[in-house]
Structures are given as C-alpha cells and as structure tokens.
Amino acid sequence: MRYILSLSYDGSAFCGWQIQPSSPSVQECLEEALAKLCGGPVAVTGAGRTDTGVHAADYVCHFDLTGPLPFEASDFCYKLNAILPRSVVVHAVLPTTEDFHARFSATQRSYTYFIHRKKDPFVAAYSWQCGFPGLDFDAMNEACQYLLGTHDFSCFEKVGGANKTSLCTITEAFWKPYTPTYISIMDSCHFERSPEGGVEKSVYWYFRVSADRFLRNMVRAIVGTLIEVGRGKHDPAWVKELIETGTRGDAGESVPGHALFLSKVKY
C-alpha cells in the first residue's frame, strides 16, 4: 500500500532533502526512523529537493509498504515523531492510491523568503538581514510582474543542473511586509525611522513565489536579482531582459539559504 506523509523540518542541520553520500539529509533521517518503526527498509519519495539549510513548513512525501501500517495512523505519527529529531515533525499519514506520486502529482509549489532590514536576534536564524539602504519594494514588486507566466528561467538556474528543460510557469510572485509574532505580542517597534523621526517602511518583509516547478537554486537567485532592482542598480524591466536573453552570470547573486522555506505543495 502507498501512504502520504506530511511533515515540516528545520533544514539548518541538513544538507537538504535528498540523500547525500556523506552528509546528513532529511530523506535519510526519515527513512531511518521509518525502518525502525516498520521493521525493515522503507524508501521515501519527496515532493522535490530543497538545498542545504533550506526549511519546509508543509512538505509531502510518499512511501510503500507491503501491508497496512503497523499501528493506527495517530499512533504511527506519535511513535515516528518520538524517533525523529526535534528538527523534523510529521503531521499526518494517510493511505493513497498507487498512482499518487509526491513529486510528479504536484501541481504547484510555493516558496517563502524572509528578510529583515535591521539587526534582530529573534529572527536571525530564519531571516536574512538585508541592510541595503532605501530598498524600493514598489520597484521590486513591479519587477515581479515580469516573472509571471511560462518562461525559460535558465538565467536563475544553478550552473551544471541536469534538468531536461528550464521551462517553468510562475503563477504568483510578490513582496509583502509582515510583523513577527513576538513583536505583535510585545508591541515592539518594527518600523524603520527616518532622520526626521517619521515612520517609514516595515523592517520585516517576505517574498512569495509559486510555480508548477522550480529549478535548482532558482528562488534564491530570483530574490538576489530583485534586491538589485530594489537597490536601484537596475530598473524593473531588467528582469524581463534577463529572462529573454540573460545567463546565470548576468542575474543577481544567490541569497543565503537559511531564510528560505518551502511553504506549500498543492496536488
């Protein structure tokens, strides 16, 4: 029988989702825990790769067993979470059809990238401190419009990828301010202030992008490129030019992975 697992993980201590020869991965960690619980090897297939240090808030994978689960679903999750490290949590296990595939059945994936504009020790582990002065988020959101649709996104793909195609269809891309939970509870200051003392832009922002598929390193390269637009180094239409004629070397630098989350997979 085939089963779906939904889970979340903190990628800080992992080299990514996929098993690596000599580095810890989420897939290996999960397979080892399942083997202990099921009494034998269990191969897990995930919704896709995540890079080193990248997190997942709503990841999906599937695995096959020759028979039913060894425990009721709720007990199975409880026991599996007791084996797994604190950085990985399983939310649910559900039976599915034999033709379900965690990767190929997915119709949309969403990623979220967090930045903060001033030093903050309470978000630093999961957000990138982007202190460039005067980022123009309106220009960055204008540039996002050129990402929408079906394009060859090889200009944002890590060199050396083995993809058969670099075509992806992006359905949403935008920057939006947010307030961290601890600030909303304690009513702390979360705005930048101008020299005159007036309140300016929010300190905390996230970038959301959704597509049918993503290339290796694509989201981090897109964020780095949009930051260059926000800094005024290029106008928003530069993103259109990159997609049409640019190479990876022409686009912006990749931003750090610790602030990136795979936030949703839809089927």
Side-chain angles (χ1 to χ4, degrees):
M1 293 186 64
R2 179 158 292 184
Y3 295 90
I4 297 173
L5 272 182
S6 62
L7 65 148
S8 298
Y9 57 83
D10 180 333
S12 302
F14 297 105
C15 67
W17 161 261
Q18 190 167 345
I19 290 178
Q20 303 292 326
S22 58
S23 301
S25 68
V26 181
Q27 184 181 24
E28 180 182 35
C29 177
L30 187 57
E31 288 186 355
E32 289 177 351
L34 283 168
K36 292 178 181 178
L37 200 58
C38 298
V42 178
V44 174
T45 300
R49 294 182 177 183
T50 54
D51 293 337
T52 298
V54 175
H55 321 288
D58 188 12
Y59 195 84
V60 177
C61 62
H62 77 257
F63 64 92
D64 294 327
L65 295 178
T66 55
L69 294 172
F71 310 97
E72 292 294 328
S74 58
D75 290 337
F76 187 86
C77 288
Y78 176 82
K79 293 176 183 293
L80 189 56
N81 281 322
I83 298 171
L84 289 166
R86 293 175 62 184
S87 54
V88 182
V89 57
V90 170
H91 304 300
V93 58
L94 298 168
T96 187
T97 57
E98 294 297 322
D99 62 348
F100 174 85
H101 195 284
R103 178 184 175 189
F104 298 124
S105 298
T107 58
Q108 179 179 283
R109 297 164 175 85
S110 297
Y111 280 88
T112 305
Y113 194 89
F114 294 91
I115 70 169
H116 52 292
R117 307 281 291 120
K118 67 178 183 180
K119 189 175 181 180
D120 186 336
F122 303 114
V123 300
Y126 304 103
S127 177
W128 176 46
Q129 184 178 336
C130 180
F132 298 116
L135 278 185
D136 186 344
F137 286 93
D138 290 334
M140 291 158 68
N141 272 322
E142 182 180 342
C144 285
Q145 299 307 302
Y146 296 108
L147 296 170
L148 302 179
T150 302
H151 306 286
D152 182 326
F153 286 102
S154 55
C155 62
F156 299 125
E157 180 181 10
K158 187 173 183 178
V159 176
N163 297 303
K164 294 181 179 179
T165 176
S166 297
L167 288 175
C168 306
T169 301
I170 292 182
T171 52
E172 68 172 352
F174 61 86
W175 287 89
K176 190 173 182 179
Y178 79 101
T179 302
T181 302
Y182 86 92
I183 287 177
S184 62
I185 292 173
M186 296 190 290
D187 196 26
S188 301
C189 176
H190 58 286
F191 293 95
E192 294 178 325
R193 296 190 178 277
S194 68
E196 295 77 23
V199 175
E200 295 182 337
K201 297 284 188 179
S202 171
V203 170
Y204 306 94
W205 291 78
Y206 70 86
F207 172 66
R208 174 74 48 75
V209 60
S210 300
D212 60 341
R213 62 190 293 266
F214 287 91
L215 307 173
R216 190 175 181 188
N217 200 57
M218 178 175 165
V219 179
R220 292 163 60 194
I222 287 176
V223 172
T225 298
L226 294 175
I227 292 294
E228 291 206 5
V229 172
R231 295 175 64 188
K233 297 180 70 174
H234 301 277
D235 61 34
W238 173 59
V239 171
K240 181 176 185 291
E241 297 172 8
L242 281 174
I243 294 171
E244 292 177 346
T245 61
T247 66
R248 180 66 193 91
D250 299 320
E253 293 184 5
S254 293
V255 291
H258 74 279
L260 180 61
F261 289 74
L262 174 61
S263 47
K264 189 71 178 177
V265 183
K266 291 185 178 180
Y267 293 91

